Amino acid sequence: MGFFVQLTEAIAERQSLLMTGLDPNPEMLQSWAQRRGMGNRSFLSQARHWIKAVVEETSPHVCAIKASLGFYQALGPLGLELLLEVRDLVPRELPLIIDAKHGDLNSSTALAHYLFRDLAVDAVTLSPLAGQDIAAPFLLYRDKAVVITCRSSNPAAKKIQYHPNEADPLFLQIVRESQLWGTPDQVLLEVGTSDPKVLSQVRQAAPERVLMLRSIWSEEERVDGLLEAGLSDSADGLLIPMPQNLLVEDDLAEQAAALKGRINRRRESWLQQHPPGEADRCELWLAQPESDEGTPADALDALIVDLFDIGCLLFGEYVQASGAVFNYYIDLRQIISDPNLFHRVLHGYASLMEGLNFERIAGIPYGALPTATGLALQLHKPLIYPRKEVKAHGARRLIEGDFQEGDQVIVVDDILISGGSVLEGIAKLERSGLVVKDVVVFIDHGGERDRSARERLKAKGYQVHAVMDIQRITRALLAAGRLSQEQAKVLG
Protein backbone atom coordinates (compact mmCIF):
# COMPACT_ATOMS: atom_id res chain seq x y z
CA MET A 1 0.00 0.00 0.00
CA GLY A 2 1.40 3.41 -0.99
CA PHE A 3 1.51 6.45 1.26
CA PHE A 4 -1.32 8.29 -0.47
CA VAL A 5 -3.72 5.33 -0.30
CA GLN A 6 -2.74 4.74 3.32
CA LEU A 7 -3.42 8.39 4.15
CA THR A 8 -6.76 8.63 2.35
CA GLU A 9 -7.95 5.40 3.93
CA ALA A 10 -6.98 6.69 7.38
CA ILE A 11 -8.86 9.94 6.72
CA ALA A 12 -11.95 8.03 5.63
CA GLU A 13 -11.85 5.39 8.36
CA ARG A 14 -11.22 7.79 11.24
CA GLN A 15 -13.13 10.70 9.66
CA SER A 16 -10.27 12.99 10.62
CA LEU A 17 -7.81 15.48 9.17
CA LEU A 18 -5.92 15.73 12.45
CA MET A 19 -2.26 14.76 12.83
CA THR A 20 -0.36 14.02 16.04
CA GLY A 21 3.12 15.46 16.54
CA LEU A 22 5.40 13.27 18.66
CA ASP A 23 8.01 15.85 19.63
CA PRO A 24 9.44 15.18 23.11
CA ASN A 25 10.14 18.77 24.12
CA PRO A 26 11.74 18.92 27.61
CA GLU A 27 9.86 22.09 28.59
CA MET A 28 6.54 20.66 27.52
CA LEU A 29 6.99 17.30 29.26
CA GLN A 30 8.05 18.58 32.67
CA SER A 31 4.57 19.32 34.04
CA TRP A 32 3.12 16.19 32.42
CA ALA A 33 5.72 13.96 34.09
CA GLN A 34 5.36 15.61 37.49
CA ARG A 35 1.59 15.04 37.53
CA ARG A 36 2.24 11.34 37.02
CA GLY A 37 4.93 10.99 39.66
CA MET A 38 7.75 10.74 37.13
CA GLY A 39 9.41 14.07 37.88
CA ASN A 40 12.62 12.42 39.15
CA ARG A 41 13.01 10.06 36.20
CA SER A 42 15.38 10.67 33.30
CA PHE A 43 14.05 12.68 30.40
CA LEU A 44 14.39 9.62 28.17
CA SER A 45 12.09 7.65 30.49
CA GLN A 46 9.60 10.52 30.62
CA ALA A 47 9.62 10.82 26.84
CA ARG A 48 9.07 7.08 26.39
CA HIS A 49 5.98 7.09 28.64
CA TRP A 50 4.61 10.28 27.08
CA ILE A 51 4.97 8.99 23.52
CA LYS A 52 3.17 5.76 24.38
CA ALA A 53 0.32 7.63 26.09
CA VAL A 54 -0.10 10.14 23.25
CA VAL A 55 -0.15 7.44 20.57
CA GLU A 56 -2.72 5.38 22.45
CA GLU A 57 -5.02 8.34 23.18
CA THR A 58 -4.90 10.08 19.81
CA SER A 59 -4.65 7.18 17.32
CA PRO A 60 -8.44 6.72 17.04
CA HIS A 61 -8.87 10.41 16.19
CA VAL A 62 -6.03 11.24 13.76
CA CYS A 63 -5.09 10.29 10.20
CA ALA A 64 -1.29 10.53 10.56
CA ILE A 65 1.51 10.83 13.09
CA LYS A 66 4.60 13.00 12.69
CA ALA A 67 7.89 12.86 14.60
CA SER A 68 10.52 15.61 14.38
CA LEU A 69 13.89 13.95 13.81
CA GLY A 70 15.84 16.71 15.57
CA PHE A 71 14.33 15.99 18.99
CA TYR A 72 15.44 12.35 18.78
CA GLN A 73 18.88 13.16 17.39
CA ALA A 74 19.45 15.53 20.30
CA LEU A 75 19.19 12.55 22.67
CA GLY A 76 22.08 10.78 20.93
CA PRO A 77 22.11 7.03 20.22
CA LEU A 78 19.36 6.45 22.78
CA GLY A 79 17.16 8.93 20.95
CA LEU A 80 17.45 6.98 17.72
CA GLU A 81 16.53 3.83 19.64
CA LEU A 82 13.51 5.74 20.94
CA LEU A 83 12.59 6.52 17.33
CA LEU A 84 12.53 2.78 16.66
CA GLU A 85 10.10 2.42 19.55
CA VAL A 86 7.95 5.11 17.96
CA ARG A 87 7.82 3.04 14.78
CA ASP A 88 6.65 0.02 16.80
CA LEU A 89 4.04 2.01 18.74
CA VAL A 90 2.39 3.75 15.77
CA PRO A 91 -0.35 1.55 14.23
CA ARG A 92 0.67 0.41 10.76
CA GLU A 93 -2.53 1.72 9.21
CA LEU A 94 -1.51 5.26 10.21
CA PRO A 95 1.14 6.98 8.07
CA LEU A 96 4.28 7.92 10.04
CA ILE A 97 5.95 11.11 8.79
CA ILE A 98 9.49 12.03 9.83
CA ASP A 99 9.96 15.79 10.02
CA ALA A 100 13.62 16.09 9.00
CA LYS A 101 13.71 19.26 6.84
CA HIS A 102 16.55 17.47 5.07
CA GLY A 103 18.52 19.53 2.56
CA ASP A 104 21.94 17.88 2.11
CA LEU A 105 22.43 16.22 -1.28
CA ASN A 106 25.42 14.10 -0.27
CA SER A 107 23.55 12.19 2.41
CA SER A 108 20.14 11.97 0.72
CA THR A 109 20.50 8.45 -0.65
CA ALA A 110 21.70 7.09 2.68
CA LEU A 111 18.97 8.90 4.63
CA ALA A 112 16.27 7.70 2.23
CA HIS A 113 17.39 4.11 2.75
CA TYR A 114 17.52 4.51 6.53
CA LEU A 115 14.12 6.15 6.85
CA PHE A 116 12.20 4.17 4.27
CA ARG A 117 13.81 0.75 4.57
CA ASP A 118 15.44 0.46 8.01
CA LEU A 119 12.95 2.58 9.97
CA ALA A 120 10.01 1.86 7.64
CA VAL A 121 8.47 5.33 7.89
CA ASP A 122 6.07 6.50 5.21
CA ALA A 123 7.09 10.08 4.38
CA VAL A 124 9.77 12.67 5.12
CA THR A 125 9.91 16.48 5.04
CA LEU A 126 12.57 18.07 2.84
CA SER A 127 14.04 21.54 2.40
CA PRO A 128 13.59 22.68 -1.22
CA LEU A 129 16.57 24.96 -1.81
CA ALA A 130 18.64 22.27 -3.56
CA GLY A 131 15.86 21.84 -6.12
CA GLN A 132 14.54 18.58 -7.50
CA ASP A 133 17.83 16.80 -6.79
CA ILE A 134 17.00 16.75 -3.08
CA ALA A 135 13.76 14.86 -3.69
CA ALA A 136 14.95 12.41 -6.35
CA PRO A 137 16.59 9.79 -4.03
CA PHE A 138 13.46 9.70 -1.87
CA LEU A 139 11.03 9.51 -4.81
CA LEU A 140 12.73 6.33 -5.99
CA TYR A 141 10.69 4.61 -3.27
CA ARG A 142 7.34 4.46 -5.06
CA ASP A 143 5.26 3.59 -1.99
CA LYS A 144 6.66 6.51 0.03
CA ALA A 145 6.19 10.29 -0.11
CA VAL A 146 8.05 13.55 0.44
CA VAL A 147 6.71 16.72 2.03
CA ILE A 148 8.33 19.87 0.65
CA THR A 149 8.58 22.72 3.15
CA CYS A 150 7.50 25.75 1.14
CA ARG A 151 7.05 28.26 3.94
CA SER A 152 8.25 28.86 7.51
CA SER A 153 6.27 30.87 10.07
CA ASN A 154 9.07 32.57 12.01
CA PRO A 155 9.15 36.37 11.42
CA ALA A 156 12.80 36.50 10.34
CA ALA A 157 12.04 34.17 7.41
CA LYS A 158 9.85 36.79 5.76
CA LYS A 159 12.84 38.68 4.34
CA ILE A 160 13.81 35.61 2.36
CA GLN A 161 10.44 34.00 1.68
CA TYR A 162 8.88 37.17 0.28
CA HIS A 163 11.79 37.93 -2.06
CA PRO A 164 11.69 39.57 -4.57
CA ASN A 165 8.27 41.05 -3.70
CA GLU A 166 4.97 40.20 -2.04
CA ALA A 167 3.20 39.92 -5.40
CA ASP A 168 5.32 36.92 -6.43
CA PRO A 169 7.13 35.69 -3.29
CA LEU A 170 9.74 32.99 -3.25
CA PHE A 171 7.57 30.61 -1.23
CA LEU A 172 4.94 30.54 -4.00
CA GLN A 173 7.66 29.93 -6.59
CA ILE A 174 8.70 26.93 -4.48
CA VAL A 175 5.09 25.73 -4.44
CA ARG A 176 4.88 25.89 -8.24
CA GLU A 177 8.30 24.37 -8.88
CA SER A 178 8.03 21.47 -6.44
CA GLN A 179 4.85 20.25 -8.11
CA LEU A 180 6.95 19.41 -11.16
CA TRP A 181 9.04 17.00 -9.10
CA GLY A 182 6.43 14.30 -8.60
CA THR A 183 2.76 13.40 -8.72
CA PRO A 184 0.24 14.47 -6.05
CA ASP A 185 0.38 11.05 -4.41
CA GLN A 186 4.13 11.37 -3.80
CA VAL A 187 4.81 15.09 -3.26
CA LEU A 188 3.01 17.02 -0.51
CA LEU A 189 3.57 20.57 0.74
CA GLU A 190 4.22 21.80 4.28
CA VAL A 191 2.93 25.30 5.01
CA GLY A 192 3.98 27.17 8.13
CA THR A 193 1.28 29.79 8.68
CA SER A 194 -1.63 30.70 10.90
CA ASP A 195 -2.85 33.24 8.32
CA PRO A 196 -5.73 31.91 6.18
CA LYS A 197 -4.80 34.35 3.40
CA VAL A 198 -1.37 32.78 3.03
CA LEU A 199 -2.83 29.27 3.09
CA SER A 200 -5.34 30.31 0.44
CA GLN A 201 -2.49 31.47 -1.81
CA VAL A 202 -0.82 28.07 -1.53
CA ARG A 203 -4.09 26.20 -2.13
CA GLN A 204 -4.77 28.24 -5.28
CA ALA A 205 -1.26 27.51 -6.57
CA ALA A 206 -1.50 23.80 -5.68
CA PRO A 207 -5.16 22.73 -5.97
CA GLU A 208 -4.38 19.00 -6.17
CA ARG A 209 -1.78 18.70 -3.40
CA VAL A 210 -2.13 17.59 0.19
CA LEU A 211 -1.09 20.49 2.42
CA MET A 212 0.38 19.90 5.87
CA LEU A 213 0.14 22.70 8.42
CA ARG A 214 2.69 23.33 11.13
CA SER A 215 1.60 23.23 14.77
CA ILE A 216 1.29 26.99 15.17
CA TRP A 217 -2.41 27.76 15.40
CA SER A 218 -2.93 28.47 19.10
CA GLU A 219 -6.08 30.54 18.72
CA GLU A 220 -9.05 28.23 18.19
CA GLU A 221 -11.00 30.83 16.25
CA ARG A 222 -8.41 30.55 13.46
CA VAL A 223 -9.33 26.93 12.77
CA ASP A 224 -12.40 27.78 10.69
CA GLY A 225 -10.47 30.27 8.58
CA LEU A 226 -7.67 27.80 7.92
CA LEU A 227 -10.16 25.13 6.91
CA GLU A 228 -11.94 27.48 4.55
CA ALA A 229 -8.64 28.46 2.95
CA GLY A 230 -6.94 25.08 2.80
CA LEU A 231 -9.52 22.39 2.09
CA SER A 232 -9.45 20.75 -1.33
CA ASP A 233 -12.51 20.39 -3.58
CA SER A 234 -13.49 17.21 -1.72
CA ALA A 235 -13.19 18.86 1.72
CA ASP A 236 -9.93 17.09 2.57
CA GLY A 237 -6.33 17.48 1.35
CA LEU A 238 -5.31 19.29 4.54
CA LEU A 239 -3.41 17.81 7.50
CA ILE A 240 -3.99 19.76 10.70
CA PRO A 241 -1.67 19.18 13.68
CA MET A 242 -3.04 18.71 17.15
CA PRO A 243 -2.16 21.84 19.18
CA GLN A 244 0.93 21.02 21.24
CA ASN A 245 -0.60 22.26 24.48
CA LEU A 246 -3.31 19.58 24.21
CA LEU A 247 -0.74 16.79 24.05
CA VAL A 248 0.11 17.16 27.75
CA GLU A 249 -3.48 17.43 28.97
CA ASP A 250 -5.02 14.72 31.16
CA ASP A 251 -8.14 14.49 28.98
CA LEU A 252 -6.25 14.29 25.67
CA ALA A 253 -8.49 11.62 24.12
CA GLU A 254 -11.65 13.62 24.86
CA GLN A 255 -10.18 16.85 23.53
CA ALA A 256 -8.93 15.13 20.37
CA ALA A 257 -12.39 13.69 19.74
CA ALA A 258 -14.01 17.10 20.32
CA LEU A 259 -11.61 18.86 17.95
CA LYS A 260 -12.14 16.22 15.30
CA GLY A 261 -15.90 16.70 15.60
CA ARG A 262 -15.60 20.46 15.23
CA ILE A 263 -13.45 20.13 12.12
CA ASN A 264 -15.84 17.61 10.57
CA ARG A 265 -18.82 19.90 11.15
CA ARG A 266 -16.90 22.65 9.35
CA ARG A 267 -16.08 20.26 6.49
CA GLU A 268 -19.76 19.37 6.10
CA SER A 269 -20.68 23.04 6.03
CA TRP A 270 -17.95 23.67 3.47
CA LEU A 271 -19.35 21.01 1.15
CA GLN A 272 -22.86 22.44 1.43
CA GLN A 273 -21.61 25.90 0.48
CA HIS A 274 -19.91 24.74 -2.71
CA PRO A 275 -21.67 23.80 -5.97
CA PRO A 276 -22.74 20.12 -6.17
CA GLY A 277 -20.53 17.85 -8.22
CA GLU A 278 -17.48 20.07 -7.87
CA ALA A 279 -15.83 17.61 -5.48
CA ASP A 280 -16.50 14.65 -7.76
CA ARG A 281 -14.45 15.84 -10.71
CA CYS A 282 -11.17 14.21 -11.44
CA GLU A 283 -9.09 16.41 -13.68
CA LEU A 284 -5.45 16.31 -14.71
CA TRP A 285 -3.92 19.49 -13.35
CA LEU A 286 -0.73 20.70 -14.99
CA ALA A 287 1.51 23.13 -13.13
CA GLN A 288 2.00 26.22 -15.30
CA PRO A 289 5.54 27.54 -15.76
CA GLU A 290 5.96 31.27 -15.52
CA SER A 291 7.44 33.74 -17.95
CA ASP A 292 10.15 36.23 -17.05
CA GLU A 293 7.43 38.81 -16.45
CA GLY A 294 5.80 36.60 -13.81
CA THR A 295 2.67 35.79 -15.84
CA PRO A 296 1.72 32.17 -16.73
CA ALA A 297 3.37 31.12 -19.98
CA ASP A 298 2.17 28.46 -22.42
CA ALA A 299 3.25 25.22 -20.79
CA LEU A 300 3.84 23.43 -24.08
CA ASP A 301 5.95 26.25 -25.57
CA ALA A 302 8.02 26.40 -22.38
CA LEU A 303 8.57 22.64 -22.58
CA ILE A 304 9.68 22.89 -26.21
CA VAL A 305 12.27 25.54 -25.32
CA ASP A 306 13.59 23.48 -22.40
CA LEU A 307 13.90 20.38 -24.60
CA PHE A 308 15.84 22.40 -27.15
CA ASP A 309 18.16 23.70 -24.45
CA ILE A 310 19.22 20.19 -23.38
CA GLY A 311 20.08 19.18 -26.95
CA CYS A 312 16.99 17.33 -28.17
CA LEU A 313 17.16 19.10 -31.57
CA LEU A 314 20.34 18.80 -33.65
CA PHE A 315 21.12 20.24 -37.07
CA GLY A 316 23.17 18.36 -39.66
CA GLU A 317 22.62 15.46 -42.03
CA TYR A 318 20.93 12.49 -40.36
CA VAL A 319 19.50 9.24 -41.69
CA GLN A 320 16.17 8.35 -40.06
CA ALA A 321 14.98 4.83 -39.22
CA SER A 322 12.69 5.02 -42.24
CA GLY A 323 15.71 5.61 -44.50
CA ALA A 324 14.85 9.25 -45.18
CA VAL A 325 17.64 11.82 -44.85
CA PHE A 326 16.85 14.99 -42.87
CA ASN A 327 18.91 18.09 -42.18
CA TYR A 328 18.08 17.83 -38.49
CA TYR A 329 17.59 15.16 -35.87
CA ILE A 330 15.27 15.00 -32.85
CA ASP A 331 16.78 13.01 -30.00
CA LEU A 332 14.23 12.58 -27.20
CA ARG A 333 16.46 10.10 -25.37
CA GLN A 334 18.03 13.10 -23.62
CA ILE A 335 14.95 13.57 -21.43
CA ILE A 336 15.46 10.39 -19.40
CA SER A 337 18.42 12.01 -17.64
CA ASP A 338 16.42 15.09 -16.61
CA PRO A 339 13.66 14.03 -14.16
CA ASN A 340 11.95 17.43 -14.26
CA LEU A 341 11.63 17.49 -18.04
CA PHE A 342 10.78 13.80 -18.19
CA HIS A 343 7.92 14.38 -15.77
CA ARG A 344 6.57 17.24 -17.92
CA VAL A 345 6.83 15.14 -21.08
CA LEU A 346 4.86 12.37 -19.35
CA HIS A 347 2.17 14.90 -18.45
CA GLY A 348 1.93 15.81 -22.14
CA TYR A 349 1.27 12.20 -23.07
CA ALA A 350 -1.08 11.63 -20.13
CA SER A 351 -3.29 14.59 -21.06
CA LEU A 352 -3.92 12.97 -24.46
CA MET A 353 -4.56 9.53 -22.96
CA GLU A 354 -7.20 10.82 -20.58
CA GLY A 355 -10.57 9.58 -21.82
CA LEU A 356 -9.15 6.88 -24.12
CA ASN A 357 -10.05 3.27 -23.43
CA PHE A 358 -7.13 0.90 -22.84
CA GLU A 359 -6.12 -1.84 -20.44
CA ARG A 360 -2.40 -1.91 -21.14
CA ILE A 361 0.32 0.40 -22.41
CA ALA A 362 2.64 -0.86 -25.15
CA GLY A 363 5.92 0.97 -25.80
CA ILE A 364 7.61 0.77 -29.21
CA PRO A 365 11.26 -0.25 -28.68
CA TYR A 366 13.62 1.17 -28.04
CA GLY A 367 13.16 4.94 -27.92
CA ALA A 368 9.68 4.91 -26.36
CA LEU A 369 10.28 2.28 -23.69
CA PRO A 370 11.37 4.72 -20.91
CA THR A 371 8.34 6.91 -21.69
CA ALA A 372 5.94 3.97 -21.73
CA THR A 373 7.39 2.78 -18.42
CA GLY A 374 6.90 6.22 -16.86
CA LEU A 375 3.31 6.39 -18.12
CA ALA A 376 2.56 2.93 -16.80
CA LEU A 377 3.74 3.98 -13.34
CA GLN A 378 1.94 7.32 -13.46
CA LEU A 379 -1.37 5.98 -14.80
CA HIS A 380 -1.21 2.68 -12.90
CA LYS A 381 -1.61 0.62 -16.07
CA PRO A 382 0.31 -2.58 -16.90
CA LEU A 383 3.19 -2.26 -19.37
CA ILE A 384 3.97 -4.58 -22.28
CA TYR A 385 6.15 -4.17 -25.36
CA PRO A 386 6.74 -5.99 -28.66
CA ARG A 387 10.30 -7.20 -29.02
CA LYS A 388 12.28 -5.69 -31.87
CA GLU A 389 13.76 -9.10 -32.47
CA VAL A 390 12.73 -12.47 -31.03
CA LYS A 391 15.40 -14.10 -28.87
CA ALA A 392 16.80 -17.42 -30.01
CA HIS A 393 16.99 -18.55 -26.39
CA GLY A 394 14.92 -18.41 -23.23
CA ALA A 395 11.14 -18.08 -23.59
CA ARG A 396 11.43 -16.64 -27.14
CA ARG A 397 8.53 -14.28 -26.51
CA LEU A 398 7.23 -11.92 -29.19
CA ILE A 399 5.61 -9.70 -26.54
CA GLU A 400 7.18 -9.03 -23.15
CA GLY A 401 4.87 -8.62 -20.18
CA ASP A 402 1.65 -10.19 -18.93
CA PHE A 403 -1.57 -9.90 -20.97
CA GLN A 404 -4.72 -11.74 -22.00
CA GLU A 405 -6.00 -12.25 -25.53
CA GLY A 406 -8.50 -9.50 -26.32
CA ASP A 407 -6.92 -6.86 -24.04
CA GLN A 408 -7.12 -3.35 -25.51
CA VAL A 409 -3.70 -1.72 -25.78
CA ILE A 410 -2.67 1.88 -26.38
CA VAL A 411 0.59 2.18 -28.32
CA VAL A 412 3.17 4.77 -27.22
CA ASP A 413 5.98 6.02 -29.48
CA ASP A 414 8.23 9.09 -29.45
CA ILE A 415 8.14 10.45 -33.03
CA LEU A 416 5.80 9.64 -35.93
CA ILE A 417 7.63 10.03 -39.26
CA SER A 418 6.48 7.37 -41.70
CA GLY A 419 4.55 5.17 -39.29
CA GLY A 420 6.55 2.09 -40.26
CA SER A 421 7.94 1.23 -36.79
CA VAL A 422 4.53 1.76 -35.20
CA LEU A 423 2.80 -0.53 -37.70
CA GLU A 424 5.51 -3.15 -37.25
CA GLY A 425 4.96 -3.09 -33.47
CA ILE A 426 1.17 -3.16 -33.82
CA ALA A 427 1.38 -6.18 -36.12
CA LYS A 428 3.23 -8.12 -33.40
CA LEU A 429 0.70 -7.06 -30.78
CA GLU A 430 -2.25 -8.07 -32.93
CA ARG A 431 -0.68 -11.42 -33.85
CA SER A 432 -0.63 -12.09 -30.10
CA GLY A 433 -4.37 -11.45 -29.83
CA LEU A 434 -4.23 -7.87 -28.52
CA VAL A 435 -6.53 -5.07 -29.73
CA VAL A 436 -5.08 -1.71 -30.80
CA LYS A 437 -7.16 1.37 -31.60
CA ASP A 438 -5.07 4.36 -30.47
CA VAL A 439 -1.47 5.47 -30.98
CA VAL A 440 0.00 8.30 -28.86
CA VAL A 441 3.22 10.03 -29.93
CA PHE A 442 5.08 13.02 -28.59
CA ILE A 443 5.90 14.56 -31.99
CA ASP A 444 4.01 14.18 -35.26
CA HIS A 445 6.74 15.00 -37.75
CA GLY A 446 4.40 15.79 -40.62
CA GLY A 447 1.77 17.74 -38.72
CA GLU A 448 -0.88 19.43 -40.85
CA ARG A 449 1.63 19.95 -43.66
CA ASP A 450 2.15 16.25 -44.34
CA ARG A 451 -0.56 13.93 -43.00
CA SER A 452 0.64 10.87 -44.92
CA ALA A 453 1.79 8.98 -41.81
CA ARG A 454 -1.46 9.74 -39.97
CA GLU A 455 -3.53 8.70 -43.00
CA ARG A 456 -1.49 5.52 -43.37
CA LEU A 457 -2.36 4.54 -39.80
CA LYS A 458 -5.95 5.75 -40.11
CA ALA A 459 -6.47 3.59 -43.20
CA LYS A 460 -5.63 0.57 -41.07
CA GLY A 461 -8.03 1.61 -38.31
CA TYR A 462 -5.72 3.39 -35.87
CA GLN A 463 -6.26 6.87 -34.43
CA VAL A 464 -3.13 9.00 -33.89
CA HIS A 465 -2.84 11.47 -31.00
CA ALA A 466 0.21 13.77 -30.91
CA VAL A 467 1.39 16.13 -28.18
CA MET A 468 2.97 18.48 -30.75
CA ASP A 469 4.22 18.69 -34.33
CA ILE A 470 7.22 20.22 -36.10
CA GLN A 471 5.31 23.39 -36.96
CA ARG A 472 4.49 24.00 -33.28
CA ILE A 473 8.12 23.38 -32.34
CA THR A 474 9.33 25.84 -34.97
CA ARG A 475 6.95 28.60 -33.85
CA ALA A 476 7.87 28.19 -30.18
CA LEU A 477 11.63 28.20 -30.80
CA LEU A 478 11.43 31.19 -33.13
CA ALA A 479 9.41 33.14 -30.57
CA ALA A 480 11.97 32.29 -27.89
CA GLY A 481 14.89 33.37 -30.08
CA ARG A 482 16.39 29.90 -30.19
CA LEU A 483 16.30 29.50 -33.99
CA SER A 484 17.60 31.55 -36.88
CA GLN A 485 15.38 32.03 -39.93
CA GLU A 486 17.62 29.61 -41.84
CA GLN A 487 17.16 26.92 -39.21
CA ALA A 488 13.43 27.52 -39.19
CA LYS A 489 13.35 26.94 -42.96
CA VAL A 490 15.21 23.65 -42.46
CA LEU A 491 12.51 22.51 -40.06
CA GLY A 492 9.86 23.65 -42.52
Side-chain angles (χ1 to χ4, degrees):
M1 180 189 299
F3 170 85
F4 190 75
V5 173
Q6 185 184 18
L7 176 63
T8 52
E9 288 187 356
I11 291 173
E13 181 182 344
R14 287 165 167 78
Q15 286 297 296
S16 178
L17 300 180
L18 286 171
M19 175 179 63
T20 299
L22 292 180
D23 302 336
N25 187 323
E27 296 179 4
M28 184 177 67
L29 286 187
Q30 188 174 12
S31 61
W32 182 90
Q34 287 178 346
R35 293 199 306 272
R36 285 157 180 78
M38 294 188 290
N40 294 327
R41 293 193 181 187
S42 68
F43 174 70
L44 187 64
S45 175
Q46 294 174 358
R48 180 177 286 111
H49 283 83
W50 174 78
I51 289 169
K52 186 175 186 296
V54 170
V55 170
E56 290 176 350
E57 293 183 48
T58 64
S59 289
H61 309 295
V62 300
C63 64
I65 290 181
K66 177 175 70 71
S68 293
L69 184 60
F71 281 105
Y72 297 87
Q73 289 176 321
L75 297 173
L78 293 178
L80 295 180
E81 289 183 16
L82 181 60
L83 198 55
L84 290 172
E85 293 184 37
V86 169
R87 173 66 280 179
D88 291 336
L89 287 170
V90 173
R92 291 290 170 164
E93 65 271 16
L94 283 179
L96 175 57
I97 303 168
I98 292 296
D99 192 2
K101 301 292 191 299
H102 179 72
D104 177 53
L105 292 176
N106 292 332
S107 57
S108 290
T109 298
L111 183 63
H113 185 277
Y114 168 70
L115 293 178
F116 291 157
R117 287 294 174 258
D118 297 343
L119 196 56
V121 305
D122 304 294
V124 61
T125 64
L126 302 177
S127 173
L129 293 184
Q132 187 178 22
D133 289 343
I134 197 66
F138 297 87
L139 293 175
L140 292 175
Y141 297 82
R142 289 182 50 214
D143 57 337
K144 307 297 183 180
V146 299
V147 186
I148 305 300
T149 300
C150 64
R151 190 183 189 279
S152 176
S153 59
N154 58 303
K158 188 171 183 179
K159 291 183 178 180
I160 296 174
Q161 293 175 162
Y162 280 84
H163 180 81
N165 54 65
E166 294 200 6
D168 187 25
L170 176 62
F171 78 86
L172 286 183
Q173 295 181 37
I174 292 172
V175 170
R176 292 188 291 267
E177 169 64 21
S178 61
Q179 290 176 85
L180 302 174
W181 300 352
T183 55
D185 59 343
Q186 266 201 299
V187 177
L188 294 72
L189 295 169
E190 183 183 45
V191 189
T193 187
S194 57
D195 186 349
K197 292 181 180 179
V198 172
L199 184 58
S200 178
Q201 287 180 291
V202 177
R203 173 51 75 200
Q204 290 176 23
E208 302 295 326
R209 301 290 162 155
V210 175
L211 307 182
M212 187 175 83
L213 289 177
R214 296 284 298 161
S215 181
I216 55 175
W217 51 283
S218 56
E219 301 176 34
E220 289 194 8
E221 59 267 23
R222 289 186 180 269
V223 178
D224 289 350
L226 291 171
L227 287 168
E228 177 67 27
L231 289 174
S232 67
D233 283 347
S234 52
D236 53 23
L238 185 66
L239 302 184
I240 304 170
M242 291 278 299
Q244 289 185 349
N245 61 294
L246 294 187
L247 298 180
V248 292
E249 296 294 332
D250 295 334
D251 59 345
L252 174 56
E254 291 79 6
Q255 294 210 44
L259 183 57
K260 179 177 72 171
R262 177 184 174 183
I263 291 172
N264 283 338
R265 288 190 294 273
R266 187 67 189 87
R267 292 172 67 195
E268 292 172 7
S269 173
W270 192 95
L271 284 172
Q272 292 173 1
Q273 294 171 5
H274 289 72
E278 198 171 293
D280 296 328
R281 296 182 307 187
C282 182
E283 299 177 351
L284 180 67
W285 181 80
L286 301 181
Q288 296 295 316
E290 299 231 329
S291 69
D292 293 338
E293 292 75 27
T295 56
D298 187 290
L300 194 55
D301 285 352
L303 177 57
I304 290 170
V305 172
D306 288 344
L307 290 172
F308 177 84
D309 287 345
I310 68 167
C312 288
L313 176 59
L314 306 172
F315 289 94
E317 189 171 287
Y318 296 93
V319 179
Q320 308 297 313
S322 63
V325 179
F326 291 167
N327 291 328
Y328 60 89
Y329 180 62
I330 297 174
D331 183 10
L332 291 178
R333 291 172 178 83
Q334 298 292 327
I335 64 173
I336 64 176
S337 297
D338 189 319
N340 189 324
L341 277 179
F342 193 21
H343 184 71
R344 291 159 64 190
V345 167
L346 292 179
H347 270 311
Y349 277 97
S351 64
L352 294 180
M353 296 166 71
E354 187 179 17
L356 299 179
N357 294 319
F358 59 97
E359 295 164 299
R360 278 164 171 72
I361 295 173
I364 299 298
Y366 292 106
L369 287 184
T371 302
T373 302
L375 288 168
L377 293 173
Q378 181 170 315
L379 301 177
H380 304 288
K381 292 286 188 178
L383 173 70
I384 61 174
Y385 67 90
R387 292 192 60 85
K388 208 171 184 68
E389 62 285 318
V390 179
K391 294 189 298 184
H393 57 279
R396 301 183 181 181
R397 293 189 182 94
L398 185 64
I399 308 296
E400 295 290 357
D402 182 53
F403 60 90
Q404 299 293 327
E405 186 174 343
D407 286 345
Q408 188 160 320
V409 176
I410 191 168
V411 172
V412 172
D413 203 0
D414 49 4
I415 304 175
L416 179 67
I417 298 179
S418 67
S421 60
V422 171
L423 288 171
E424 181 182 340
I426 291 175
K428 294 175 182 177
L429 295 168
E430 291 181 336
R431 286 205 300 271
S432 300
L434 294 161
V435 178
V436 178
K437 294 183 178 180
D438 295 289
V439 176
V440 182
V441 299
F442 192 65
I443 298 175
D444 175 8
H445 181 269
E448 293 302 318
R449 181 191 59 191
D450 180 5
R451 296 181 58 86
S452 58
R454 277 180 177 263
E455 296 301 329
R456 182 182 180 188
L457 289 167
K458 185 178 180 180
K460 294 183 178 294
Y462 312 119
Q463 182 68 36
V464 175
H465 312 267
V467 178
M468 63 182 71
D469 56 29
I470 289 293
Q471 291 76 41
R472 178 64 182 270
I473 293 172
T474 305
R475 289 196 302 270
L477 294 179
L478 270 175
R482 296 299 198 275
L483 293 183
S484 65
Q485 289 296 332
E486 291 74 16
Q487 290 173 322
K489 289 178 182 178
V490 169
L491 292 177

